[in-house]
Amino acid sequence: MTKTIRKAVVIGSGIMGSGIAAQLANAGISCLLLDVVPQQLTADEERKGLTLEDTAVRNRLAAAAIGKLGKTKPAPLYDPAFAARITPGNIEDHLSLIGEADWVIEVVVENLAVKQQLLAKIEQVWKPGIIVSSNTSGISINEMSAGCSEAFRTHFLGTHFFNPPRYMKLLEIIPGEKTDPAIVAQMKEIGEKVLGKGVVLAKDTPNFIANRIGTYGLLVTLREMTASGLTVSEVDAITGPAMGRPKSATFRTLDLVGLDTFVHVAANVYEQAASEQERSVFETPALLQTMVEKGWLGEKTGQGFYQKRKTEKGSEILQLDLATFDYIPQKKAASASLEAAKLAKGARAKTKALLGAGDRYSDFAWNVLKHVLLYAADKLGEIADSIQEIDDAMKWGFSWELGPFETWDAIGLERSVARMEQEGLAVPGWVKEWIAAGNSSFYKLEAGNIYVRSSSMNGYEEVDYGPEVISLRQLKERNRVIRSNAGASLIDLGDGVACLEFHSPNNAIGADILTMIHQSVEEVRSNYEGLVIANQGRNFCVGANLMLLLMEAQDEEWDEVNDIIQLFQQTMLKLKRLEKPVVAAPHRMTLGGGVEACMPADQVIAAAETYYGLVEVGVGLIPAGGGCKEFALRTSQQYSKYPDVELQPVLNEIFRMIGTATVSTSGHDAKRLGYLQAHDKVILNQDHLLHEAKQSVLGMVKAGYEPAVESKIKVVGSEGKAVMQLGAIGMHQGGYISEHDLLIANKLAHVLAGGDVPAGTLVSEQYLLDLEREAFLSLCGEPKTQARMQHMLTKGKALRN
């Protein structure tokens, strides 16, 4: 990387500006957040005797925006403490500080004249080498910078983040006609490696890539709904997961975005589109115009296409009746096509099943999809040079599981094009030429490599996201599987490193995974330098196989339950004792047994979006795969290094965290809570997780890895147990926890304290594992625990009993 971003300036402290500043802070970048100087005092400022010249008043807008970051949901910051990396200021007093920055981002109102005026001010204090970008969602980069010097324009480009900036993967980079290609390459690398984004290069056209196609698709869907007579909820049932799209589908998405915002985005294309045909599609429908005029803007106003109302039974989400403009109850959509899509596995199969059933929902899906595919094909070359860029933009910006061209492949390129032409639709010439040249798809898989139609139309070129992106799917295609069973596989990552991949349903840990861990330890011990535990499923691991445990408990097969837990414990212990380095790389939901599978590793390298926690009390149990033991061990080791540290306060906090099933809100939060240790690492780009974990293993090997020596654990014993139990009794008396919660808490305190031994007693790891197992078994026999387990399996949420 040729340029390091240490300091940034964000101008505009609204939702997007403060969100971008937060993501920069998440990446460790110091940020100055600027906004205009207020022209009036607030009532609170008047009471304090402040004037318009006071710093607190002049910086008020930016300071208020920073203050909101800790309260906003979902949280923009990985750790609330990161807000300290953002400094508030104002444009009048602090614009000169731009000269000390590496990157300046303007995020002011979407108005060309306002942006041009701001760029002129920025240039007055700009120094060569400073990158300046605009977060515009659709205003021309070239028009914006037209009045600036050529030297300034070489450093100016568009960097369009999607909202919310922490969670949305897409970053569209839009070079201007004068932008230095080296600057574009630098910003792409910074976006991917520092900010953790998926970057696409867009052309300087209205709404760029994702909003151009996404807005078109939403408008087509609205048009087809009007023609078909389907309800709002029916359309969302069709255009959600059944079509490989998010659960928010069409109208829930519009409500979340805000109808006024959507109308503004659509109008941007309407005003700038070259053809009347395209303008007609982007013209604001009368329905949307009426809703905006009524102030029915979606979630921010409490009603849009849906409205949540309180009823005697709780709350109910109603849908808008487009004929009467009344809100009416939703009816569950049911059809052969939806059922077929539900049963199919994967977005490709789901979309194909939805379109193939031949009912009215199938017809609706086809009538929407065909126009979106043709529009994407028609805009190739205008909005982006490659189909991969378009596909990635839609996947990363709109959370589609498949981009338009991937979807076309899934439903059959040749067959669908023939149907389009039979229905009188114009198919772009380049698509027909591509098929005529003997190509039956836009992508193909050969020898484990993915190829895509080349931008030059010369055939296929390999899809390459760089060495930091390792695909387990592709490695499997290349016959790099060492061992495999139904629940897990051991895969050769190259350079002497193996990867243990979970792939059971929900990556829940059962006998298959435990067997594979045993086999992996032996394989790595004999033939490899080290082991990575990682997978590329939706979530890393949601815990142990709860259904199996419940069935055995209900049948009172206590020997079987004991054997299951003992196998889990001994498997984790065997992993911990491996004489080669082990690195765990969790992502997203990593709960219960998933955490316990990471704890034996020498290092954890977690994705920033990792929600990490020991949550067993939610199903009436305590951690028994070594989770309690590992925390007791860590506490004891902390004491041995720092004798002045008292064990009890540390254990009290661990007791509270496990007892309340606390889950981290990010990888950084997992560090703050103590789930992750000081030597563990958090990275922002989840796509780079496997590469980073592999490099960590190789680094330990190069440094001369020596396995940890088993040590005795100093426990707080019966005295410390009493302290923890006293805290639980107080919570019970205060009405915060139930009688059954208190029982679980007492069991947990017994294990963490090391049982009924004197304070300061040294015990073995196996001793604590035995305590874990005994407590777990006793709780499995409790009817209320079994009720909690049943409720979690059937309802997907914890039962308070």
Side-chain angles (χ1 to χ4, degrees), residues 150-167:
E150 185 159 338
F152 182 88
R153 295 182 77 186
T154 62
H155 287 72
F156 180 70
L157 70 165
T159 51
H160 180 213
F161 290 81
F162 274 61
N163 190 37
R166 167 182 164 179
Y167 299 94

Side-chain angles (χ1 to χ4, degrees), residues 362-376:
S362 283
D363 291 342
F364 181 87
W366 167 251
N367 287 336
V368 169
L369 199 55
K370 66 186 180 184
H371 290 294
V372 173
L373 299 184
L374 290 172
Y375 187 73

Side-chain angles (χ1 to χ4, degrees), residues 508-531:
I509 297 175
D512 287 339
I513 287 179
L514 296 176
T515 298
M516 185 54 60
I517 293 174
H518 273 275
Q519 294 176 352
S520 297
V521 168
E522 295 304 324
E523 185 73 41
V524 171
R525 177 176 285 135
S526 301
N527 301 311
Y528 288 84
E529 299 284 354
L531 177 67

Side-chain angles (χ1 to χ4, degrees), residues 82 94 138 331 709 771 784:
F82 291 173
H94 304 111
K331 290 183 180 178
V709 178
L771 290 184
K784 286 187 177 181

Side-chain angles (χ1 to χ4, degrees), residues 348-513:
R348 289 170 173 79
K350 286 182 181 296
T351 305
K352 196 171 182 179
L354 177 67
L355 295 178
D359 57 27
R360 67 185 187 126
Y361 288 175
S362 283
D363 291 342
F364 181 87
W366 167 251
N367 287 336
V368 169
L369 199 55
K370 66 186 180 184
H371 290 294
V372 173
L373 299 184
L374 290 172
Y375 187 73
D378 187 56
K379 293 302 160 188
L380 181 66
E382 178 184 334
I383 62 175
D385 285 328
S386 72
I387 66 172
Q388 184 186 336
E389 228 116 35
I390 292 175
D391 279 350
D392 285 345
M394 298 317 298
K395 289 187 291 184
W396 298 340
F398 276 73
S399 299
W400 292 7
E401 290 189 52
L402 302 173
F405 298 98
E406 290 172 319
T407 301
W408 221 331
D409 283 355
I411 65 175
L413 176 60
E414 294 171 286
R415 183 171 61 254
S416 59
V417 165
R419 181 177 176 183
M420 290 170 183
E421 292 191 310
Q422 287 172 2
E423 294 176 4
L425 297 173
V427 177
W430 74 263
V431 175
K432 293 193 284 186
E433 291 170 12
W434 179 248
I435 295 172
N439 301 299
S440 58
S441 64
F442 294 114
Y443 293 84
K444 68 177 181 177
L445 184 66
E446 278 186 6
N449 296 321
I450 301 173
Y451 296 86
V452 62
R453 174 213 177 255
S454 70
S455 303
S456 59
M457 193 74 174
N458 290 338
Y460 292 94
E461 61 187 12
E462 187 176 349
V463 173
D464 182 14
Y465 290 106
E468 293 83 10
V469 178
I470 298 174
S471 166
L472 292 177
R473 176 188 167 201
Q474 287 182 253
L475 290 176
K476 289 178 182 179
E477 294 286 345
R478 295 171 191 160
N479 298 315
R480 300 277 281 276
V481 177
I482 304 163
R483 293 174 177 270
S484 186
N485 63 27
S489 296
L490 187 66
I491 302 165
D492 186 352
L493 295 180
D495 301 316
V497 181
C499 175
L500 174 62
E501 176 202 28
F502 301 166
H503 47 66
S504 62
N506 294 318
N507 287 346
I509 297 175
D512 287 339
I513 287 179

Side-chain angles (χ1 to χ4, degrees), residues 17 145 186 259 328 428 489 512 714 779:
S145 60
Q186 287 171 14
L259 271 62
I328 60 173
S489 296
D512 287 339
K714 186 175 183 178
L779 287 168

